[in-house]
């Protein structure tokens, strides 16, 4: 079976990478340039190919910071919010916070996201250089994730609200460090001097952000053959069997507990929630691995069992039996590969109805079981109303 | 071999591997620790501040700098209390990894590798690729890189496996390849190869079982049926099969090698 990635994929040579990164120096207001820059935040972009996870993380943080400097903070917010929700490394969270710091769109829950990120990252925070790649060890403009988060809280929540949020964080986390304190003083004084290129036609644009499934995705998925945790093989349509399908992507080696492990645990809870709240719904709950060569059936079974899965024909973890690359391309999955395994992936979850139509595609956001059942309820209500109207 | 002779040989091997035996450090005495200013009686913040100063001081005794690393590393377990010192500690470790003596360098890289530090990864990679002077022996560098299964050590591990005659380097290379699904063929060959080091063959068997239990079982059966195969290898393989069970465990994490201190066995040819 061919591996999901090109095993001989080598990282771009330094010169080619430098050329690609050169694009970040220009303001991002023209549509094609904006598309070029935002495309660099996709996990499968060539600049990340063949690189390790920590290297990709640094590179992506540099790219996001460059996109923010180019005046595209608002367009990059879906990426920044995913990072604020799930990022575990200071560089990525710092870049995401800088993006939030400069956006003028006030998004619901952003203050909560920023404060949760502060809580999560503070114990592992360190100096990061968002202005150079590779980072300069003695860069003068070093920053920290927590400093950027405080700056963002100051801008997003306003000085007094930021103070309240940070004060409550510090109650549980100890006193502010000097860098954090100076960032807070600046935020309170409204003296945030961080600037970027002026917003232009790029303002509030979302069309370049990869939040949709390409057409043909579900038919490609339907035709794909999978092997489950017991080694049984079937095509997707045979597994779904005209039932509502809840599908998420993951891989067992994911080292971010807020991504795959959390997703698979959530799916097992979602199964119970569906059974309790929608007992008449015939649904399958499926997890598909990004790393089918490594995630063999026994490994899938163990991973699911450790996260509360009760396997049966309606609850399965799956690996492709042939070329995962085809499915990845057809569905434009947000996953990149390093030398041996995934180096980064986005959160991707699909709700598909019994007729094989997409109910909802959730991307770059954490889901919980309640919101999934709510989405199913809404879909059923809408379907019944549409049916009644037809009659 | 008596212990003195063994020690002399081990030191010789260390020198050959680029480790300066003379500058390896003994632990400092309790009096030295107290005089240095980070004895147990002091408040932790003072101890960490003092330890950082000593670690940053290139002229300080290597033994004290080593003790400073131990103090600071213990501090990292205290989370929020140590947080104000963390960034400076990491900065200093990177400096030591680059410029410290061999033992300090190794300690610093050991800690940074556990933290999946990007600077350490680049330093180790460049060291193994030969673009800079070796910072630690090859097997040690591979062992450090192997701790990150999301890293990029695979191609280096393959090259080391193809080129190196060192038992430790080959063993560490195989451990890295244990997380690389495209290396099944290489591991199978190493497992079957009678001219390979025994430890490397065993490590290959573990790696292959982790990646592809079926392929491991087939290869193992070939070994068990081979009358010319070494008895100890047959016993290892049979043991692995009987202990294996149906489910492979998670990817093995390579332990940090104490590199070249082990005795080098002769390679047995068929």
């Amino acid at each position: 079976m061919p591996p999901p990635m090109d095993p001989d994929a080598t990282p771009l040579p330094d010169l080619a990478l430098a050329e690609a990164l050169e694009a970040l120096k220009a303001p991002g207001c023209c549509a094609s340039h904006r598309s070029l820059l935002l495309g660099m935040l996709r996990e499968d972009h060539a600049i990340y190919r063949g690189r390790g996870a920590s290297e990709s993380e640094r590179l992506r943080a540099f790219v996001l910071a460059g996109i923010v400097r180019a005046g595209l903070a608002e367009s990059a917010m879906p990426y920044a919010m995913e990072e604020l929700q799930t990022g575990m490394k200071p560089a990525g969270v710092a870049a995401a916070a800088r993006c939030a710091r400069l956006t003028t769109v006030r998004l619901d829950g952003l203050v909560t996201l920023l404060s949760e990120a502060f809580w999560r990252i503070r114990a592992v925070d360190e100096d990061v250089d968002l202005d150079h790649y590779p980072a300069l060890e003695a860069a003068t403009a070093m920053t920290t994730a927590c400093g950027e988060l405080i700056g963002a809280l100051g801008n997003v929540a306003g000085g007094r609200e930021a103070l309240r949020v940070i004060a409550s964080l510090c109650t549980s986390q100890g006193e502010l460090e000097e860098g954090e304190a100076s960032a807070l003083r600046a935020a309170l004084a409204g003296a945030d001097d961080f600037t970027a290129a002026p917003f232009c036609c790029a303002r509030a644009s979302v069309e370049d952000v990869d939040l949709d499934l390409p057409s043909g995705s579900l038919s490609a998925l339907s035709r794909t053959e999978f092997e489950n945790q017991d080694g049984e093989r079937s095509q997707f349509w045979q597994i779904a069997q005209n039932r509502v399908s809840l599908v998420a992507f993951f891989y067992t080696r994911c080292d971010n507990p807020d991504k795959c492990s959390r997703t698979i645990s959530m799916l097992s809870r979602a199964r119970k929630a569906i059974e309790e709240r929608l007992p008449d719904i015939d649904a399958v709950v499926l997890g598909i691995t990004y790393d089918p060569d490594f995630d063999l059936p026994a490994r899938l079974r163990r991973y699911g069992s450790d996260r509360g899965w009760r396997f049966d024909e309606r609850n399965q973890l799956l690996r492709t039996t042939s070329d995962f690359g085809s499915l990845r391309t057809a569905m434009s999955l947000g996953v990149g590969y390093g030398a041996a395994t995934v180096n980064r992936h986005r959160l991707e979850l699909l709700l598909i109805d019994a007729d094989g139509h997409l109910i909802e595609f959730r991307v770059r956001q954490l889901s919980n079981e309640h919101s999934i059942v709510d989405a199913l309820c809404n879909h059923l209500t809408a379907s019944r109303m549409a049916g009644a109207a037809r009659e | 071999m008596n212990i003195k002779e063994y020690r002399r040989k081990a030191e010789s091997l260390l020198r050959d591997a680029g480790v300066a035996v003379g500058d390896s450090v003994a632990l400092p005495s309790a009096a030295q620790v107290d005089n240095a200013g980070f004895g147990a009686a002091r408040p932790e913040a003072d101890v960490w501040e003092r330890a950082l100063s000593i670690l940053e001081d290139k002229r300080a005794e290597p033994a004290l700098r080593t003790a400073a690393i131990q103090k600071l590393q213990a501090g990292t377990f205290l989370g929020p209390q140590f947080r104000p010192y963390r960034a400076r500690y990491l900065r200093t470790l990177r400096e030591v990894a680059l410029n410290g003596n061999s033992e300090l360098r190794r300690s610093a890289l050991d800690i940074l590798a556990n933290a999946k530090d990007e600077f350490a990864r680049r330093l180790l990679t460049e060291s193994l690729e030969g673009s800079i002077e070796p910072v630690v022996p090859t097997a040690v560098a591979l062992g450090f890189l192997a701790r990150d299964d999301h890293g990029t050590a695979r191609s280096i591990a393959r090259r080391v496996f193809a080129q190196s005659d060192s038992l430790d380097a080959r063993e560490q290379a195989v451990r890295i390849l244990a997380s690389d699904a495209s290396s099944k063929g290489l591991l199978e060959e190493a497992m079957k190869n009678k001219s390979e080091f025994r430890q490397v063959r065993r490590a290959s068997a573990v790696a292959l079982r982790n990646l592809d239990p079926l392929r491991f079982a087939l290869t193992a059966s070939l070994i068990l049926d081979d009358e010319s195969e070494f008895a100890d290898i047959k016993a290892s393989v049979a043991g692995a099969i009987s202990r294996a069970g149906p489910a492979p465990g998670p990817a093995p994490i390579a332990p940090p090698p104490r590199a070249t201190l082990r005795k080098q066995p002769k390679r047995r040819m068929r």
Side-chain angles (χ1 to χ4, degrees):
Chain A
M1 182 174 72
M5 68 219 88
D6 176 0
D8 297 319
T10 48
L12 283 182
D14 290 347
L15 191 60
L17 178 63
E19 279 175 12
L21 297 180
E22 193 68 20
L24 294 166
K25 291 183 179 168
C29 64
C30 103
S32 62
H33 190 61
R34 184 176 67 218
S35 179
L36 174 76
L37 295 189
L38 291 173
M40 291 167 76
L41 287 173
R42 274 198 58 94
E43 289 78 1
D44 56 355
H45 194 281
I47 58 174
Y48 306 113
R49 189 178 61 212
R51 296 181 192 279
S54 63
E55 190 183 3
S56 295
E57 175 78 23
R58 287 267 180 177
L59 177 54
R60 202 164 187 279
F62 172 75
V63 167
L64 180 54
I67 286 172
V68 169
R69 271 194 303 276
L72 291 171
E74 289 173 12
S75 297
M77 270 310 283
Y79 303 93
M81 288 181 66
E82 182 188 35
E83 189 65 29
L84 291 171
Q85 267 196 320
T86 61
M88 306 295 287
K89 301 281 174 57
V93 173
R98 185 172 285 184
C99 185
R101 189 173 179 172
L102 288 178
T103 184
T104 55
V105 177
R106 292 292 168 254
L107 300 159
D108 289 344
L110 187 53
V111 170
T112 306
L113 265 187
L114 289 166
S115 48
E116 284 177 355
F118 186 92
W119 190 89
R120 194 176 59 245
I121 209 72
R122 204 174 181 209
V124 295
D125 201 9
E126 60 172 307
D127 293 343
V128 293
D129 177 6
L130 295 178
D131 299 324
H132 304 92
Y133 186 84
L136 302 180
E137 285 309 312
T140 52
M142 285 282 192
T143 185
T144 62
C146 286
E148 294 289 338
L149 286 163
I150 289 173
L153 277 168
N155 278 9
V156 172
R160 287 195 175 280
E161 176 63 7
L163 181 62
R164 191 191 63 73
V165 171
I166 294 161
S168 73
L169 285 167
C170 292
T171 304
S172 58
Q173 293 235 345
E175 293 177 3
L176 291 180
E177 290 170 32
E178 182 46 41
E180 294 169 348
S182 66
L184 181 59
R185 279 193 292 273
L188 286 172
D192 192 355
D193 57 355
F194 199 83
T195 57
F199 291 115
C200 187
C201 52
R203 187 165 200 152
S205 168
V206 293
E207 64 266 29
D208 299 311
V209 184
D210 56 337
L211 300 181
D212 293 321
L213 269 183
S215 62
S217 293
L218 295 188
S219 60
L221 177 65
S222 180
R223 289 192 306 270
T224 303
E225 186 188 64
F226 291 97
E227 182 176 46
N228 72 7
Q229 69 288 331
D230 296 319
E232 297 163 354
R233 295 183 172 207
S234 318
Q235 288 184 309
F236 185 88
W237 66 269
Q238 294 170 309
I239 299 167
Q241 286 185 11
N242 298 322
R243 294 179 285 204
V244 170
S245 308
L246 170 58
V247 181
F249 288 84
F250 78 104
Y251 73 114
T252 65
R253 281 193 278 186
C254 183
D255 58 0
N256 183 333
D258 276 341
K259 284 191 162 179
C260 295
S261 184
R262 185 167 173 170
T263 296
I264 294 301
S265 300
M266 186 279 294
L267 287 184
S268 76
R269 291 195 303 274
R271 152 60 61 200
K272 289 174 193 147
I274 291 169
E275 286 170 357
E276 285 168 13
R277 286 182 55 192
L278 298 168
D280 298 334
I281 286 275
D282 196 5
V284 291
V285 178
L286 306 168
I288 299 175
T289 177
Y290 288 123
D291 192 9
D293 257 12
F294 188 80
D295 288 340
L296 302 176
R299 192 166 276 123
L300 293 174
R301 171 167 277 282
R302 181 178 297 181
Y303 190 79
S305 298
D306 289 346
R307 286 157 185 80
W309 277 58
R310 287 173 292 129
F311 291 108
D312 57 32
E313 54 134 356
R314 288 179 171 77
N315 301 281
Q316 302 187 46
L317 295 182
L318 306 169
R319 62 190 282 267
T320 52
T321 55
S322 55
D323 181 13
F324 184 77
S326 302
L327 184 65
R328 175 190 172 203
T329 305
M331 297 187 74
S332 194
L333 296 175
V335 56
Y337 292 92
T341 187
V342 172
N343 58 17
R344 187 181 168 93
H345 68 92
R346 64 181 181 181
L347 297 164
E348 307 182 279
L349 184 142
L350 297 86
L351 268 172
I352 304 168
D353 72 13
D355 298 324
H357 299 126
L358 187 68
I359 301 172
E360 196 174 323
F361 179 45
R362 294 186 182 182
V363 63
R364 300 195 184 283
Q365 57 176 299
L366 287 172
S367 292
N368 65 52
E369 58 274 24
H370 308 298
S371 70
I372 286 170
V373 176
D374 288 346
L376 281 176
C377 287
N378 291 341
H379 172 72
L380 287 175
T381 305
S383 300
R384 283 180 192 134
M385 287 173 68
R390 276 197 300 274
E391 288 169 7
Chain B
M1 182 188 300
N2 68 36
I3 193 71
K4 282 184 180 172
E5 188 183 347
Y6 176 75
R7 184 188 175 92
R8 200 165 48 247
K9 285 204 170 187
E11 287 181 352
S12 162
L13 282 168
L14 282 169
R15 282 194 198 91
D16 291 346
V19 178
V21 177
D23 66 3
S24 65
V25 286
L27 288 177
S29 66
Q32 275 181 300
V33 168
D34 279 341
N35 290 338
F38 44 85
R42 289 170 177 268
E44 274 158 345
D46 287 355
V47 170
W48 293 331
E49 189 63 48
R50 179 74 186 128
L52 274 168
S53 300
I54 289 174
L55 188 56
E56 287 165 344
D57 183 0
K58 291 174 187 167
R59 293 165 304 174
E61 284 289 312
L64 283 179
R65 294 180 85 193
T66 301
I69 288 179
Q70 289 167 352
K71 275 285 171 198
L72 291 162
Q73 190 56 23
T76 61
F77 287 95
L78 295 176
Q81 286 169 265
F82 188 74
R83 188 173 39 75
Y85 306 91
R86 182 181 155 82
R88 187 173 154 205
Y89 176 44
L90 289 174
R91 262 199 315 274
T92 313
L93 282 177
R94 290 177 191 134
E95 169 65 26
V96 170
L98 207 53
N99 297 319
N101 77 3
S102 63
E103 201 66 28
L104 280 167
R105 210 161 50 218
R106 184 172 172 147
S107 297
L109 284 167
D110 190 358
I111 292 164
L112 291 170
N114 277 342
K116 298 180 182 174
D117 183 78
E118 180 59 16
F119 173 84
R121 187 199 64 78
R122 266 192 288 141
L123 192 64
L124 290 165
T125 303
E126 288 171 12
S127 163
L128 284 168
E129 287 173 346
S131 49
I132 59 171
E133 288 288 307
V135 286
V136 284
T138 300
V140 179
L142 285 172
F144 288 158
L145 287 173
R147 294 180 196 171
D148 182 7
D149 68 352
H150 286 63
T152 51
R154 182 197 66 167
S155 57
I156 299 171
R158 284 192 163 200
R159 204 192 62 235
V160 167
F161 191 79
Q163 296 174 356
S164 175
D165 282 334
S166 155
L167 161 65
D168 290 319
R170 294 178 73 76
E171 196 174 0
Q172 288 301 323
V174 162
R175 287 196 169 120
I176 287 177
L177 297 175
S179 64
D180 175 29
S182 67
S183 294
K184 291 173 190 173
L186 183 152
L187 295 168
E188 182 183 346
E189 287 307 310
M191 184 178 161
K192 289 192 295 194
N193 184 359
K194 290 176 189 165
S195 63
E196 182 57 85
F197 289 113
R198 306 287 181 81
Q199 288 96 319
V200 176
R201 292 185 72 187
R202 290 192 194 101
S204 301
V206 171
L208 184 62
R209 195 179 76 77
N210 180 60
L211 285 176
D212 192 339
L214 187 61
R215 198 160 174 174
F216 163 76
L218 289 171
T219 311
S221 68
L222 290 176
I223 288 174
L224 291 174
D225 290 343
D226 184 350
E227 291 180 0
S228 67
E229 185 56 89
F230 300 115
D232 60 330
I233 290 289
K234 280 189 171 186
S236 296
V237 166
I241 288 175
S242 65
R243 283 192 304 273
I253 296 169
R258 295 309 294 178
T260 41
L261 276 172
R262 275 170 284 170
K263 187 178 162 186
Q264 297 275 347
K266 289 178 183 172
R267 296 181 79 178
R268 292 185 62 173
M269 304 300 289
R270 192 172 191 175

